[in-house]
Amino acid sequence: MHKLISELKRLYLFDEQQQYVDAEDGALPLTPAVLARHLAGEQTVAVRLVSEQGLARTLLLEFGGKGGGEAHWSALCTIANAVQHELDLPAPAVSISGTAFQLWLSLATPVPLAQAQQFVQLLRSTFLPASTDILAVAPPAYVEQAALPPCLQAAGKWAAFIHPSMGAAFVDEPGLDMPPPPAAQLGFLESLRSINPAQFAQ
């Protein structure tokens, strides 16, 4: 579990990460103990993906909604392939959230939230011009927080990172009934690299 937490921090979290709880409690520190309980399915928390300074280093795209599982998966594959082959950027992580497919892009250096949102919007308009209704690009409030996989969702399904070749198996139900093995989750993340500043600028 410690190695999995280290990989999640390397790719998606800030040094002093805050965990969003609710409007009453505000933001509380995302300690290793809290993150471990989250990954074990004991306490699911929404992690703020934007720092107090308005910087983001995780770009999260969600493909989901009622029906259209195959179309959602196809749209994710289109964006994922474009990121790697058209833009020559590192491969993103792919996950299932219990209700949708998700694409996780990691930035080595945080950028202002407006730049992150603009980049995501350009991905949609450039590579999915005829299918903009399929890609549920999150508004600012959504981009700022998300439950990091693997975790247990309220509906009882597990969110998890998956190998891109497995996506078609989840078009009818993008979630797991059982918790995924931590070693397998670690394996999906270890080979991933963050987008460096020069690559993002280009």
Side-chain angles (χ1 to χ4, degrees), residues 95-202:
S95 73
I96 47 177
S97 71
T99 58
F101 295 104
Q102 295 176 324
L103 202 60
W104 299 77
L105 286 79
S106 167
L107 301 179
T109 302
V111 300
L113 178 59
Q115 284 189 23
Q117 292 172 329
Q118 181 184 31
F119 182 80
V120 170
Q121 180 59 36
L122 286 171
L123 283 178
R124 177 172 75 169
S125 61
T126 302
F127 300 110
L128 290 177
S131 308
T132 52
D133 58 320
I134 291 176
L135 177 54
V137 176
Y142 179 88
V143 170
E144 293 180 9
Q145 66 180 56
L148 282 174
C151 64
L152 181 61
Q153 301 288 23
K157 295 291 183 180
W158 278 83
F161 290 105
I162 62 171
H163 191 277
S165 64
M166 300 166 55
F170 295 101
V171 294
D172 293 327
E173 191 171 21
L176 298 175
D177 293 324
M178 302 290 289
Q185 295 293 285
L186 177 63
F188 293 139
L189 300 179
E190 282 182 321
S191 63
L192 298 179
R193 296 294 175 262
S194 298
I195 300 170
N196 65 46
Q199 290 173 318
F200 187 74
Q202 183 178 358

Side-chain angles (χ1 to χ4, degrees), residues 7-69:
E7 286 301 298
L8 289 170
K9 286 184 174 181
R10 177 180 69 84
L11 291 167
Y12 306 119
L13 302 179
F14 294 96
D15 289 338
E16 295 184 9
Q17 191 71 40
Q18 296 293 307
Q19 162 213 332
Y20 179 79
V21 179
D22 57 35
E24 181 178 341
D25 294 332
L28 299 177
L30 185 68
T31 64
V34 170
L35 193 50
R37 290 197 298 271
H38 169 82
L39 299 177
E42 300 170 6
Q43 174 193 6
T44 302
V45 298
V47 176
R48 294 183 66 178
L49 302 179
V50 181
S51 72
E52 293 181 354
Q53 292 74 36
L55 300 175
R57 63 167 306 218
T58 299
L59 310 181
L60 175 60
L61 289 73
E62 184 166 271
F63 306 73
K66 293 183 178 179

